[in-house]
Amino acid sequence: MQGAWSPRDQVQSPGRMSALGRSSVILLTYVLAAIELTCLFMQFSVLPYLSRKLGLDSIAFGYLQTTFGVLQLLGGPVFGRIQCPAILAALATLLGAVLSFTCIPASTKGTKTNTETPPPGGPQASVFDLKAIASLLRLPDVPRIFLVKVASNFPTGLFMVMFSIISMEFFQLEAAQAGYLMSFFGLLQMVTQGLVIGQLSSRFSEEALLRASVLGFIAVGLAMAWMSSVFHFCLLVPGLVFSFCTLNVVTDSMLTKAVSTSDTGAMLGLCASVQPLLRTLGPTVGGFLYRSFGVPIFGHVQVAINVLVLLVLWRKPMPQKKDKVW
């Protein structure tokens, strides 16, 4: 039937994706991401309270999070003992894997010419070729954009890694209350990424959005330095979510535009490695800062680092592309 879409058609003709087919893929991708993140945060929300119940102190819990970050960074599927949430997460993830293999086309980015395709019989790059992956970070403008992404995310990553401990000790929240707070955080993130950023990207350049996100981090950092209750935190969460989502969407867009079609997946993988990297370093660094200086230190670090990032952005503007963030 003319105009009908199927995954097989898209695999055979990746360069000619219909509007309906692209919309279906984007919608399914959002659904899969929602399933995965929901299951992940189901476990995150109960883990600190479970660890406290089992007798782990804050330092031991930090080591536990560091272990998770290392495993996530390496991409190793490590399974421990099954709790009811873990079973549900495993089943939902399996469903997501089935949908990914059956409904997502092999390529969703239009091909340009065969200059990016190696000649028949020529050497084929291995997916485990770390030199080829590292070479992406040496492309023009990529190191600076990636450094901005890592640096601006670092203070927020420290705070979020320690948030479970902060919610128990500083905010004095019970497990259910912490769950409601994380739901509020997730809802704002969904609205911001799904609705707000798309509208802003059609009116403002990526450079303007990137600077706005860094300015937002600075404002949030100042407020966080004076935060004394969970009510204060709820007031600054919208700014934190806006800055966090905008920074990651814009930098991901810039970085994927800076590479060829064949390297888009590798660059997205590098972008996704930022959060596991923060989860690897965050518990040790964040735990030391929290025990030594208290919650306000996270606001001070947020301000200091993002002021430096803002100076870098104003000194040398980021490269501009015609494509919009989507």
Side-chain angles (χ1 to χ4, degrees):
M1 181 181 296
Q2 187 175 5
W5 176 84
S6 67
R8 177 179 292 273
D9 295 336
Q10 292 305 319
V11 172
Q12 294 175 350
S13 304
R16 298 191 298 271
M17 179 177 290
S18 65
L20 179 60
R22 181 176 294 275
S23 300
S24 301
V25 170
I26 293 175
L27 177 61
L28 180 57
T29 303
Y30 272 114
V31 171
L32 293 175
I35 293 175
E36 179 181 0
L37 292 176
T38 299
C39 295
L40 183 65
F41 282 100
M42 281 172 59
Q43 299 173 73
F44 279 173
S45 62
V46 301
L47 184 59
Y49 297 91
L50 179 60
S51 63
R52 181 62 58 86
K53 184 177 180 181
L54 295 176
L56 294 181
D57 58 12
S58 300
I59 303 299
F61 180 70
Y63 294 151
L64 183 63
Q65 287 191 301
T66 299
T67 303
F68 174 82
V70 171
L71 295 177
Q72 188 180 14
L73 182 63
L74 298 177
V78 179
F79 295 95
R81 294 181 179 274
I82 301 299
Q83 284 119 19
C84 181
I87 298 177
L88 182 59
L91 293 176
T93 304
L94 178 62
L95 174 62
V98 172
L99 291 175
S100 298
F101 279 108
T102 57
C103 300
I104 298 293
S107 176
T108 58
K109 191 173 183 180
T111 55
K112 300 176 181 177
T113 61
N114 29 358
T115 57
E116 300 173 355
T117 305
Q124 302 290 324
S126 170
V127 294
F128 301 104
D129 189 351
L130 297 181
K131 291 184 178 180
I133 297 176
S135 66
L136 298 179
L137 296 176
R138 296 193 293 269
L139 294 175
D141 298 310
V142 168
R144 197 159 57 93
I145 300 174
F146 197 79
L147 182 60
V148 167
K149 181 181 183 69
V150 174
S152 290
N153 267 306
F154 183 69
T156 302
L158 287 182
F159 178 79
M160 294 310 298
V161 164
M162 297 301 301
F163 180 74
S164 55
I165 298 297
I166 293 173
S167 65
M168 287 190 298
E169 297 183 354
F170 186 76
F171 294 143
Q172 298 292 312
L173 298 181
E174 299 294 334
Q177 296 171 325
Y180 296 148
L181 188 58
M182 293 303 296
S183 297
F184 173 59
F185 191 93
L187 179 62
L188 287 177
Q189 190 171 357
M190 179 181 65
V191 172
T192 302
Q193 291 191 164
L195 300 177
V196 176
I197 297 179
Q199 295 296 322
L200 292 177
S201 65
S202 64
R203 293 174 172 81
F204 302 98
S205 66
E206 291 179 337
E207 177 76 14
L209 291 177
L210 189 57
R211 290 180 178 179
S213 66
V214 176
L215 284 171
F217 275 135
I218 294 174
V220 168
L222 291 173
M224 191 177 294
W226 295 94
M227 179 176 65
S228 60
S229 68
V230 68
F231 175 72
H232 294 161
F233 177 70
C234 290
L235 292 179
L236 62 86
V237 162
L240 179 64
V241 170
F242 168 79
S243 298
F244 178 78
C245 294
T246 302
L247 175 84
N248 285 288
V249 170
V250 171
T251 52
D252 286 358
S253 175
M254 287 180 168
L255 289 169
T256 53
K257 290 174 186 176
V259 300
S260 63
T261 302
S262 59
D263 290 326
T264 300
M267 180 55 74
L268 287 173
L270 287 174
C271 293
S273 69
V274 173
Q275 294 303 319
L277 176 63
L278 296 178
R279 286 195 169 275
T280 301
L281 302 176
T284 302
V285 178
F288 169 76
L289 293 176
Y290 175 62
R291 291 304 179 194
S292 302
F293 305 101
V295 173
I297 190 61
F298 296 105
H300 298 153
V301 173
Q302 185 84 271
V303 172
I305 291 182
N306 281 282
V307 164
L308 295 177
V309 171
L310 191 62
L311 292 176
V312 170
L313 293 178
W314 246 286
R315 182 178 180 182
K316 185 178 180 182
M318 291 292 181
Q320 294 297 311
K321 301 287 185 179
K322 292 182 179 180
D323 297 333
K324 296 177 180 178
V325 180
W326 58 276

